[in-house]
C-alpha cells in the first residue's frame, strides 16, 4: 500500500508556557505528585525546529508497536499485520510493504540482528528472519522479506516440561500450565545489550528470559508484579526494569554465577498504572510514563546509605491525558499520549534541566507507540542534529516527523 506525502514549512518552537500556576517558571508536577520536584526549565539559546513529513497508510486497525530496523521502519497492528516502510520515503517508488501476518494482534516488537521478535495477544512470541531482497534487477528500492523460524515457547521447550510436576504453575483456580508459557498478552519485549537474551513481559504478571541463539526459555519470574506488566527495558549493565498497572516499577538483576534474577529495588511514585519505560543510552536515567499524565525522571543513586538503586530527579508535565509510550534518542525524550499529541523534550547539559522542543499534532486518536532515530539525511550544516520521529496511533496511521535541534 502507499503513503501520503505532505511537507509543511518548518515551525518554530514556542517556549514552554507554564500551564499552572501562572506565575511559575518551572515545569511542574500534577497535584497527585506534589512530592516530586519539578525539573528546572532552561531557556534555549536557539529555537529547535520540527516538521511533519508524511503519513503511512495501509493498516486497517490500530497501530500498537513500532521499531526501527536499519533503513526500514516496522509497524505492528491489531489487524495482525506487520508492515515495513522505508525510513526515507519517496512517493515515486512503489513498495510492497506487507512483511508478515501474525495469528493475533501484534502487541510488541524488537529487532536483534537479522531476527525480528513479535509479541502477540494470543500469549505467543513469534520469531522471524528478515532479509533484504537484492535481486530486484530494475533499480527499484530493495525489498525486505521475512521467514517465520519459530514460535515461543518452542515445541521442544513445551515437551520437555510436560512430565514433571515441578514445571507447572497455577495460573487460576483449577488451572495450571508449564512455566515456559505466557498465559496473557505479551505486552513488551527487550533484548540484552549483547543480543544474547530476549526478555518478554506479559499481562500475566510475569517476565521471562529467552536465549536468542536457540530460543530456549531460561527463566520465568512468576508474580513479578501484582497486576499486568506493560513495559520492560534493559540497561547496558544488565539491570532489568519492569513497569506495571500496579503503579510500581521494579528493578531486577542477575549476578554472575546466579541462575535467577532477584529484586533490587521497587520504585514507587506514580499514582496510577505505569504504561511506558525508556532508558538513556548509558542507562543512568530512567523515564516512566503513566496514566497520571506525568513522566517521572529517575536517576541512579549516588551510592547513598539508603540502598536505593534509583531516586526521583523530577517530573516532565504537559500532556493532558495518560502517557502511553516513551522513546529516547540522543538527548531527546519523546512521549506519546492519549491526548493525541507527541511531545519532545530535550535534556540539558547538566541533566537536571529540560527544554520542550515541540508538540507534534495531527493524529485523530491516542498515540500508542513511538520510534525514533538519527536522520540519515542530515545536511552539511553541523550546527545541530536532525532526528526522525515516527508515531503510531489508534487512528490506524503512522506519521513521520523531522526534528532539528541546535547544539547546546
Amino acid at each position: 500500500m502507499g503513503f501520503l506525502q505532505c511537507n509543511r514549512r518548518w515551525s518554530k518552537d514556542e517556549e514552554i508556557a507554564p500551564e499552572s500556576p501562572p506565575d511559575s517558571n518551572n515545569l511542574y508536577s500534577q497535584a497527585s505528585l506534589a512530592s516530586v520536584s519539578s525539573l528546572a526549565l532552561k531557556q534555549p539559546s536557539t529555537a529547535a525546529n520540527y516538521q511533519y513529513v508524511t503519513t503511512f497508510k495501509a493498516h486497517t486497525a490500530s497501530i500498537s508497536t513500532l521499531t526501527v530496523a536499519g533503513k526500514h521502519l516496522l509497524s505492528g497492528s491489531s489487524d495482525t499485520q506487520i508492515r515495513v516502510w522505508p525510513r526515507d520515503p519517496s512517493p515515486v517508488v512503489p513498495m510492497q510493504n506487507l512483511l508478515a501476518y501474525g495469528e493475533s494482534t501484534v502487541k510488541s516488537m524488537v529487532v536483534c540482528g537479522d531476527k525480528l521478535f513479535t509479541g502477540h495477544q494470543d500469549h505467543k512470541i513469534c520469531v522471524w528472519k528478515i532479509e533484504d531482497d537484492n535481486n530486484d534487477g530494475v533499480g527499484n528500492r530493495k525489498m525486505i522479506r521475512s521467514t517465520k523460524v519459530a514460535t515461543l515457547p518452542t515445541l521442544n521447550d513445551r515437551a520437555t516440561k510436560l512430565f514433571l510436576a515441578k514445571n507447572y504453575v497455577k495460573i487460576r483456580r483449577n488451572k495450571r500450565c508449564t512455566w515456559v508459557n505466557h498465559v496473557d498478552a505479551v505486552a513488551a519485549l527487550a533484548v540484552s545489550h549483547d543480543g544474547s537474551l530476549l526478555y518478554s513481559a506479559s499481562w500475566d504478571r510475569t517476565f521471562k528470559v529467552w536465549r536468542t541463539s536457540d530460543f530456549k526459555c531460561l527463566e520465568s519470574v512468576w508474580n513479578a508484579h501484582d497486576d499486568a506488566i506493560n513495559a520492560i527495558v534493559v540497561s547496558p549493565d544488565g539491570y532489568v526494569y519492569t513497569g506495571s498497572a500496579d503503579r510500581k516499577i521494579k528493578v531486577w538483576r542477575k549476578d554472575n554465577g546466579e541462575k535467577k534474577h532477584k529484586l533490587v529495588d521497587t520504585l514507587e511514585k506514580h499514582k496510577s498504572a505505569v504504561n511506558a519505560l525508556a532508558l538513556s543510552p548509558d542507562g543512568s536515567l530512567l523515564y516512566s510514563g503513566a496514566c497520571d499524565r506525568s513522566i517521572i525522571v529517575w536517576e541512579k543513586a549516588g551510592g547513598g546509605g539508603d540502598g536505593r538503586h534509583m531516586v526521583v530527579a523530577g517530573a516532565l508535565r504537559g500532556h493532558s491525558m495518560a502517557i502511553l509510550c516513551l522513546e529516547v534518542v540522543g538527548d531527546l525524550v519523546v512521549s506519546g499520549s492519549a491526548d493525541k499529541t507527541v511531545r519532545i523534550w530535550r535534556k540539558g547539559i547538566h541533566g537536571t534541566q529540560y527544554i520542550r522542543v515541540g508538540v507534534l499534532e495531527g493524529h485523530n486518536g491516542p498515540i500508542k507507540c513511538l520510534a525514533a532515530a538519527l536522520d540519515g539525511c542530515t545536511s552539511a550544516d553541523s550546527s545541530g542534529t536532525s532526528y526522525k520521529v515516527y508515531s503510531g496511533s489508534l487512528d490506524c496511521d503512522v506519521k513521520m516527523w523531522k526534528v532539528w535541534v541546535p547544539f547546546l
Side-chain angles (χ1 to χ4, degrees), residues 169-171 179 181 183 204-206 208 220-224:
V169 291
K170 184 177 180 180
I171 58 174
W179 60 266
N181 290 276
V183 294
D204 64 14
R205 309 181 186 186
T206 75
K208 300 184 190 296
S220 177
V221 181
W222 201 256
N223 289 327

Side-chain angles (χ1 to χ4, degrees), residues 142-391:
K142 293 179 181 179
M143 309 293 280
I144 183 171
R145 302 181 183 277
S146 72
T147 304
K148 189 174 182 180
V149 296
T151 300
L152 309 186
T154 62
L155 179 60
N156 183 63
D157 241 354
R158 286 179 283 148
T160 57
K161 305 295 185 296
L162 282 177
F163 303 108
L164 292 179
K166 68 178 183 179
N167 290 326
Y168 284 80
V169 291
K170 184 177 180 180
I171 58 174
R172 60 179 65 92
R173 186 178 180 182
N174 299 325
K175 187 167 184 179
R176 298 166 66 85
C177 75
T178 56
W179 60 266
V180 296
N181 290 276
H182 278 302
V183 294
D184 208 332
V186 181
L189 296 170
V191 174
S192 62
H193 190 62
D194 63 3
S196 64
L197 299 174
L198 171 73
Y199 297 82
S200 60
S202 171
W203 290 349
D204 64 14
R205 309 181 186 186
T206 75
F207 75 88
K208 300 184 190 296
V209 186
W210 314 78
R211 193 162 55 205
T212 57
S213 59
D214 61 0
F215 314 130
K216 179 181 176 61
C217 189
L218 303 178
E219 181 186 359
S220 177
V221 181
W222 201 256
N223 289 327
H225 282 270
D226 298 324
D227 208 333
I229 303 177
N230 296 319
I232 188 167
V233 291
V234 184
S235 70
D237 54 357
Y239 286 96
V240 180
Y241 303 86
T242 53
S244 168
D246 65 9
R247 304 180 294 180
K248 299 174 184 177
I249 301 162
K250 292 191 176 183
V251 187
W252 310 84
R253 172 82 177 181
K254 186 176 73 171
D255 294 328
N256 291 332
E258 297 292 327
K259 292 185 177 181
K260 295 184 177 180
H261 285 76
K262 64 180 182 181
L263 182 64
V264 174
D265 199 0
T266 300
L267 311 180
E268 296 183 80
K269 187 58 67 173
H270 284 293
K271 300 302 179 182
S272 56
V274 178
N275 297 318
L277 298 173
L279 281 167
S280 62
D282 64 359
S284 64
L285 294 171
L286 174 71
Y287 303 89
S288 57
C291 290
D292 57 24
R293 300 175 291 163
S294 293
I295 302 165
I296 293 183
V297 184
W298 308 82
E299 62 180 6
K300 281 196 173 179
D306 59 0
R308 300 309 304 268
H309 174 72
M310 279 194 162
V311 296
V312 175
L316 302 177
R317 290 278 296 130
H319 284 292
S320 61
M321 297 180 72
I323 312 298
L324 301 180
C325 47
L326 292 170
E327 185 77 9
V328 173
V329 56
D331 59 359
L332 298 185
V333 180
V334 188
S335 57
S337 169
D339 65 13
K340 306 178 186 179
T341 70
V342 176
R343 289 179 181 251
I344 302 176
W345 319 83
R346 184 184 189 185
K347 183 166 65 71
I349 296 175
H350 302 294
T352 58
Q353 299 171 320
Y354 284 75
I355 305 161
R356 194 187 71 194
V357 173
V359 180
L360 310 182
E361 300 177 288
H363 279 290
N364 294 316
I367 312 300
K368 188 64 178 67
C369 50
L370 293 164
L374 283 170
D375 186 358
C377 301
T378 303
S379 67
D381 180 6
S382 60
S383 62
T385 306
S386 182
Y387 301 90
K388 285 179 180 175
V389 174
Y390 308 88
S391 54

